[in-house]
Amino acid sequence: MNAGRSFIEMTINGEKRTVQAPPMKRLLDVLREDLHLTGTKEGCGEGECGSCSVRMNGELVNSCLVPVLQAEGASIQTVEGLASNGKLHPLQQAFLDCGGAQCGICTPGMLMAATQLLAHNPHPSMAEIREGLAGNLCRCTGFIRIFESVIAAAAQDVEQQAQETPHAR
Amino acid sequence: MTTHATNRIVGSSVPRKEGVDKLLGRARYVDDIDLEGMWHGATVRSTIPRGLIRSIGFDRSINWSEFAAVTAADIPGSNHIQLIAADQPCLADGMVNHCDEAILLIAHPDKHRLREAVNAVHIEYEPLPPVFTIEESERQNVIVWGADNLLKNFLLEKGDVDSVWSGAAHIVEGEYRTGAQEHLYIENNGVIAEYTAESGVTVWGSLQCPFYVHKSLLAVFDLPEDKVRVIQTETGGAFGGKEDYPSTLAAHAALLSMKSGHPVKMVYDRMEDLAATTKRHPSRVRHRTALDHEGRLLAMDIDLATDGGAYSTLSSTVLSRATLHSPGPYVCPNVRVRSCAWATNTVPYGAFRGFGAPQAVFAIERHMDEIAAAIGLDPIELRRRNFLHDGDTTATEQVMREPVILDQLLDRALAESDYHARRARFAHENASSPIKRGMGIAAFYHGSGFTGSGERYLNSLAGVDVTPDGKVRVLVSSTEFGQGTNTILTQIAAEATGLGHEDVIMAPADTGIVPNSGPTVASRTAMVVGRLIERAGLQLVSLLREHAGLGAHYSRADFFAACDRYRAVQGAVVSLCRYEAPPGVFWDDQKYRGEAYPAYAWSIHVAQVAVDTVTYSAEVEEFWAVQEAGRVLNPVLAGGQVEGGIAQGIGYALYEKVLLQNGHMANNQMTNYIMPTAEDVPPIHVYFEEVPFSHGGYGAKGIGELPHDGPAPAILNAIRDATGVRCNTIPLLPEDLFHKLAAGQTVEEATAV
Ligand code: FES
Ligand code: FES
């Protein structure tokens, strides 16, 4: 029954988790199907849309392109790991206030890309924001309010927040 | 508290109602839902554009006993998707009329087993000659639909166009073409369906119009109304792409559920969604226009054709909206529009934000610049001289009874964009630079609500009720897919009842619970459904005053206490209202004349574009949008609608090309169907002028579609301004621009006759 499956251990949103899955199963499917973390979305399955973005060992990855095998021992942060103690992450709050989410399907990936950006560059310029989010497609907003959300969150000293999360470098 | 504080909640940017769920990643989209014992479904599709199905064979390498399979023969009711006409089969039966048409369905408990099984079904065809373009279809050498390939046609006539030509000072002609466009919602189409003999069919899905799906399932399964239930799940973008297609997909999943005895999930992957689902209608519009010496319009003769694809679906109503938007926001005594939707052997084209208007607006607004060039008038001045004003009549002889403030919008757009100064500066700088910059403009309206008598036929019902645990619920079938339905309708209900926004929630978009407030399309939700909720809220307060002793001034606690008293006597606290047309609105379907829309939203777009004459790329550097869409209910959401629509419009103009090969979409991937990214979208400046509309929800008109109408002509007009080259076809990709610019025609003569 479990032939062709391996035990894979990962730290997901700060918690140790072990899954038994075929080694080539996409990290995206392991998150969604095995760990029931359905916040991470599939938009294209080919690395173009970024809606499956998660942070893995402090890097932004498209989880649709990562075989779970590669995630062995990794520390992974998904959208479910952003809010803490029932409080929205400053980026989530900014997206809510500024209208950065419309249909919401790109939002988890967009939040992870923005978290990654601010973790490395707490006060990005507009050009740096555009570049940082270039791998994440949003068909609803035209991006303008997403940029404003990132600027608003950066203004709230996200630097400190990012350092507090266990997965930021 | 008083119910007359009109500025309390409406008009403020309360946060999106379902925003926190979306931001936490806990909003449940259809693919996030797992039902006990659920199977997964897949579709075997036609690989040829047109032909007879000779045989269906199943490869022995697969153990088919593990699978459920469904063909047209398994359909208990009618093998047709019910929309306007019922010509589209649910599953092809003996014949296919486009590539990727569904022929056979299969289901299995393990979704990873499906691909192999789909490939193991072998279909033999006897090909028939296909038709792929408007030109081939109208030639009628090969008939692929009905008696003549004509899905629908309209004739709109005002005055006598033919009496004008001989005495006109100028006659200007032009032909304009637009390509197909894919919605590219980031969540693909998907549903889950469950069939049981006792309760019939239940569908959960990513969709815009629960009652469209409901109606279609009734016919496919031959079931009574109470045996079909459709529930919208959180929907990750739609833009019209989930208006009619979910009816087909829901029927497929439900048929598989019936056959397998399990709930069945069908969620398309991107390649399947791109190849098999609807897109924007390609179009060809020809204008012939007569003007007097001062540049006033004397006659407009417009010949408009769309490619409708293999079945009629929504082509007739898309064509109607295109027809009604084709003369633009101008007064002209003599207008004739002849329009036709032609059948071809491609996936049926469908609804997409704007619904025919973007095609029509592209043509007229591009044409206005060509007229200006041909008669030597400034494009701004030409438009000003011909703008509609209050009291004027449109091409359908609708009198503009509400204020029309096009001049004011134009003045604001010119001032905010610093149009004249920039244009002059670019004209000077361009001479010595390989980068040529230009400014372009588009003026347009978008009719809010269903066309003509549509809203009367829809006869929408909507309202509010109050739950025993103290929440006012909005009862509508109007759905949220990013545009803000949940937020604005709860704002309106809160405003009308004098409560806080947090006291109002949405009832689930479930046909078993909510009344039919009509489909969520046509920029009708804020105006039409919003008005119903406003009325229902006010009516609820009156009921509580009359029957439950609610005082003239009341607190939140007073309100809910009155609800409890009312409930104790009446059983439930419900207030429903039915659509009432604004007085004096009349549309003659026979003559195609009258009040085409209850209201119009108006807009001016300005684009600044840079054309690189070395790389042949055209880049939108900055964009301004000024609009009047009635009362703005929520400035953040309304602004987001405008920006998102403009970004899609930029894609429509410069990026997005649907490449068909033998009728199949060849670039059905996000790697090669390119939409604007975070690095491509320019700064977009959005301004609203507010003229409350007396028959819209707290004064609102429609905003959703308007912003998609203007970018393409504004951008191509800016390219004309920058380079002197006339480009009349979109999408305009660098290779197209190369051909245009390399042709050496720096300044081309306009076709002044
Ligand atoms: S789903 Fe992974 S990039 Fe689109
Ligand atoms: S909010 Fe819908 S795709 Fe970004």
Side-chain angles (χ1 to χ4, degrees), chain A residues 29 32-33 38-39 41-44 46 48-49 51 79-80 83 88 92 95-99 101-105 107-108 111 130-131 133-134 137-145 147, chain B residues 15-16 19-20 22-25 29 31-32 111 181-184 186-188 235-237 239 270 481-482 636 639-641 643-644 647-648 656 669-671 675-679 681-682:
Chain A
D29 296 330
R32 291 177 52 83
E33 295 169 9
T38 53
K41 306 300 182 192
E42 172 165 1
C44 68
E46 55 175 359
E48 284 293 324
C49 74
S51 56
V79 68
E80 288 92 347
L88 293 182
Q92 290 171 316
F95 270 62
L96 187 65
D97 297 340
C98 302
Q102 288 188 18
C103 81
I105 196 79
T107 309
L111 284 168
R130 286 173 179 275
E131 197 194 330
L133 302 181
L137 297 178
C138 174
R139 190 57 156 170
C140 295
T141 62
F143 302 98
I144 306 293
R145 275 159 217 271
F147 301 154
Chain B
R16 174 175 287 281
V20 170
K22 286 175 172 172
L23 289 158
L24 290 174
Y29 300 79
D31 203 20
D32 303 337
K111 75 172 174 191
Q181 186 185 20
E182 163 56 33
H183 308 85
L184 218 73
I186 304 296
E187 180 203 31
N188 292 315
T235 294
F239 316 113
R270 181 59 60 181
F481 36 88
V636 163
Q641 284 298 292
E643 291 151 6
Q648 287 180 347
E656 301 180 30
Q669 285 175 277
M670 278 185 168
T671 39
M675 63 162 266
T677 70
E679 290 188 295
V681 172

Side-chain angles (χ1 to χ4, degrees), chain A residues 83-117:
Chain A
S84 57
N85 307 323
K87 201 168 168 290
L88 293 182
H89 183 282
L91 270 163
Q92 290 171 316
Q93 187 63 48
F95 270 62
L96 187 65
D97 297 340
C98 302
Q102 288 188 18
C103 81
I105 196 79
C106 73
T107 309
M110 203 62 85
L111 284 168
M112 299 322 292
T115 305
Q116 178 71 13
L117 172 68

Side-chain angles (χ1 to χ4, degrees), chain B residues 381-400:
Chain B
E381 186 52 32
L382 174 70
R383 287 178 172 83
R384 246 191 232 287
R385 285 186 194 179
N386 291 288
F387 271 158
L388 277 164
H389 293 98
D390 317 1
D392 288 338
T393 59
T394 64
T396 62
E397 312 216 13
Q398 174 171 5
V399 181
M400 295 280 98

Side-chain angles (χ1 to χ4, degrees), chain B residues 417-434:
Chain B
S417 65
D418 202 13
Y419 173 90
H420 290 294
R422 286 190 196 231
R423 202 166 169 231
R425 194 175 86 225
F426 298 151
H428 177 72
E429 290 170 357
N430 284 350
S432 57
S433 169

